[in-house]
Structures are given as C-alpha cells and as structure tokens.
C-alpha cells in the first residue's frame, strides 16, 4: 500500500513583525506516502518547526495547500481539524508534554478517550503500546517518576496508540543521551514498519536523518531534497 497520506503544494508562511513581513517558508512542496520515513534537517531558525506545525494543522499557512488523507486542512472547521488530527496524525515533541497529574497508562489512553473509545478498549490498547515500548512495568508511574528516556517512550506510545497514518516528530531525541536516542529511533522505525505509519522527523542529528528513506534540507525558507 503506497497511498499518499500527506500532500503539500506551494506552501508559504509569512509573519508580520512591526512594519516588516518575514517570509519563513517559500513555496514548499512535499508528498509523503504510507510507511515512508522522511527527515528534515537545517540550522535553527530555518523554518523546520514552523513547517511541522503547518503540516499538523496547528498553524495556518499564508498561501498554498496541505492535504491529510485527501482532506484539505484549510477547508476544515476547528472541530473537524481536531478530529482529523486525532484520527490520522500522531505528534512527538522534543519535550514530552505528558500530563503530570496522570500516570503513564492514562497519558497514553488520552487520545483514545478524546475519540470516545470505551475505557476498557482504551486501557487494553494503551497497555499494548506500553508493552511495545518496554514500559508495561511503569504503567502506574507518573511522569515525574520516570526518566527522560522513559517519558519520551511514553510520548511515542501516546502518538502511536491511535494507529495514525503519519507521525510528525519535532526533535524527538533532542533531550536524550546518545544511547537512549538511538534506542528511541530504533523503536520509532520498528513501529513505523509494523504499523505502516509514515514518519516525518525534524532533527539536527545527521545520523538519524541518514537512517530515514528521504532526507530534506531546510535553507532560507526552502525545502530541497538532499542528494
């Protein structure tokens, strides 16, 4: 199966600053198919995170077009956009963004509860994901009781628990030591292959980028394939 899950055409983003307008993204084109892995590299401030936010419908483009599973993001209401994100997209950030008052299992259950799955089904699927990331023994531990690597693995499980069509990851290993980062990436690729989930990863780590099928470099607001 090689369906296009994410399609970007002529995407631009301009921010107004006082009397100036700053063009952060310039006519970006990108196509991501199911099961593919893409890495986006570039210096800080090149627009990588801005692009990822646009792809996830977390910000609006100035011009251009984004489709997720054939649905144009700019044609959706906020409610429909939220439903699309929950159904088709998973997000992983440099900072895990786990809810501190909930334990690991409850954090992973959250996207399923938002889509109104039964508590029994959400618990079963979340426990299965915890097992896949090797943390079933930490199910009842809150984020403050977990190591940095464990928190990122919980965040990964939360991103994948809904079996999304695409995971958008912004520096997912940026706060991890080299060994933990390596095992986290192995896990992401393994789950990508087993679930046929596309990965789009923003990273400064060239070794991570080189392990992806496609590499792109963001420079001066433009996205170009790395030869």
């Amino acid at each position: 199966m090689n369906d296009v899950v994410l399609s970007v055409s002529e995407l631009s983003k301009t921010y107004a600053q006082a009397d100036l307008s700053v063009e952060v993204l310039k006519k970006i084109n990108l196509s991501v198919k199911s099961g593919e892995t893409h890495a986006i590299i570039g210096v800080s401030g090149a627009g990588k995170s801005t692009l990822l936010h646009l792809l996830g419908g977390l910000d609006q483009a100035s011009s251009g077009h984004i489709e997720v599973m054939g649905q144009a993001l700019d044609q959706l209401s906020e409610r429909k956009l939220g439903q699309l994100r929950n159904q088709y997209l998973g997000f992983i950030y440099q900072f895990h963004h786990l809810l501190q008052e909930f334990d690991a299992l409850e954090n992973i259950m959250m996207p399923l509860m938002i889509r109104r799955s039964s508590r029994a089904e959400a618990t079963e699927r979340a426990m299965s994901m915890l097992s896949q990331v090797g943390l079933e023994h930490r199910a009842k531990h809150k984020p403050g009781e977990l190591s940095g690597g464990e928190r990122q693995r919980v965040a990964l499980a939360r991103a994948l628990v809904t079996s999304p069509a695409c995971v958008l990851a912004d520096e997912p290993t940026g706060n991890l030591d080299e060994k933990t980062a390596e095992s986290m990436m192995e896990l992401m690729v393994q789950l990508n292959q087993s679930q046929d989930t596309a990965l789009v990863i923003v990273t400064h780590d060239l070794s991570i980028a080189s392990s992806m099928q496609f590499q792109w470099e963001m420079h001066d607001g433009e996205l170009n394939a790395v030869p």
Side-chain angles (χ1 to χ4, degrees), residues 44-56:
S44 293
K48 304 184 303 297
S49 294
T50 299
L51 174 59
L52 217 61
H53 288 154
L54 292 175
L55 298 183

Side-chain angles (χ1 to χ4, degrees), residues 19-40:
D19 294 333
L20 296 173
S21 64
V22 180
E23 194 175 21
V24 182
L25 301 178
K26 303 173 184 175
K27 296 191 174 181
I28 303 288
N29 292 288
L30 180 67
S31 179
V32 179
K33 295 179 180 178
S34 60
E36 289 183 346
T37 59
H38 293 250
I40 301 172

Side-chain angles (χ1 to χ4, degrees), residues 44-79:
S44 293
K48 304 184 303 297
S49 294
T50 299
L51 174 59
L52 217 61
H53 288 154
L54 292 175
L55 298 183
L58 301 172
D59 194 4
Q60 287 188 324
S62 301
S63 63
H65 198 62
I66 302 173
E67 286 188 2
V68 174
M69 300 300 285
Q71 297 186 55
L73 299 193
D74 58 359
Q75 301 297 313
L76 300 176
S77 66
E78 276 301 315
R79 187 175 69 84

Side-chain angles (χ1 to χ4, degrees), residues 207-220:
S207 65
I208 288 175
S210 64
S211 69
M212 301 289 106
Q213 289 173 284
F214 302 92
Q215 293 93 40
W216 303 86
E217 184 174 16
M218 198 73 147
H219 180 71
D220 197 25

Side-chain angles (χ1 to χ4, degrees), residues 53-226:
H53 288 154
L54 292 175
L55 298 183
L58 301 172
D59 194 4
Q60 287 188 324
S62 301
S63 63
H65 198 62
I66 302 173
E67 286 188 2
V68 174
M69 300 300 285
Q71 297 186 55
L73 299 193
D74 58 359
Q75 301 297 313
L76 300 176
S77 66
E78 276 301 315
R79 187 175 69 84
K80 290 286 188 185
L81 193 55
Q83 289 174 344
L84 178 137
R85 275 197 295 263
N86 181 265
Q87 184 173 0
Y88 295 122
L89 298 175
F91 298 89
I92 308 171
Y93 304 97
Q94 182 173 357
F95 302 99
H96 52 78
H97 292 296
L98 299 176
L99 299 170
Q100 298 296 322
E101 63 271 31
F102 295 101
D103 62 34
L105 181 66
E106 291 167 332
N107 266 284
I108 297 168
M109 290 169 62
M110 205 64 66
L112 297 171
M113 299 306 290
I114 288 170
R115 65 164 62 172
R116 304 196 186 284
S117 297
S118 70
R119 189 166 189 86
E121 182 194 357
T123 302
E124 182 181 347
R125 289 181 66 174
M127 275 305 295
S128 172
M129 282 308 310
L130 262 179
S131 176
Q132 288 186 62
V133 299
L135 287 177
E136 61 271 31
H137 61 296
R138 303 291 256 164
K140 294 301 177 184
H141 291 251
K142 292 185 177 177
E145 301 167 319
L146 302 173
S147 71
E150 287 172 334
R151 288 195 288 267
Q152 278 298 70
R153 281 193 276 163
V154 172
L156 173 60
R158 179 183 59 187
L160 288 167
V161 73
T162 55
S163 298
C166 184
V167 167
L168 303 173
D170 194 355
E171 298 285 1
T173 61
N175 283 326
L176 305 177
D177 62 74
E178 189 178 344
K179 187 177 178 184
T180 308
E182 200 174 293
S183 66
M184 173 85 172
M185 282 309 305
E186 285 175 1
L187 191 57
M188 285 181 72
V189 171
Q190 179 187 325
L191 291 170
N192 143 261
Q193 290 170 348
S194 65
Q195 296 194 16
D196 206 31
T197 297
L199 289 180
V200 179
I201 296 177
V202 161
T203 182
H204 279 98
D205 191 325
L206 295 181
S207 65
I208 288 175
S210 64
S211 69
M212 301 289 106
Q213 289 173 284
F214 302 92
Q215 293 93 40
W216 303 86
E217 184 174 16
M218 198 73 147
H219 180 71
D220 197 25
E222 297 179 348
L223 189 68
N224 295 301
V226 176

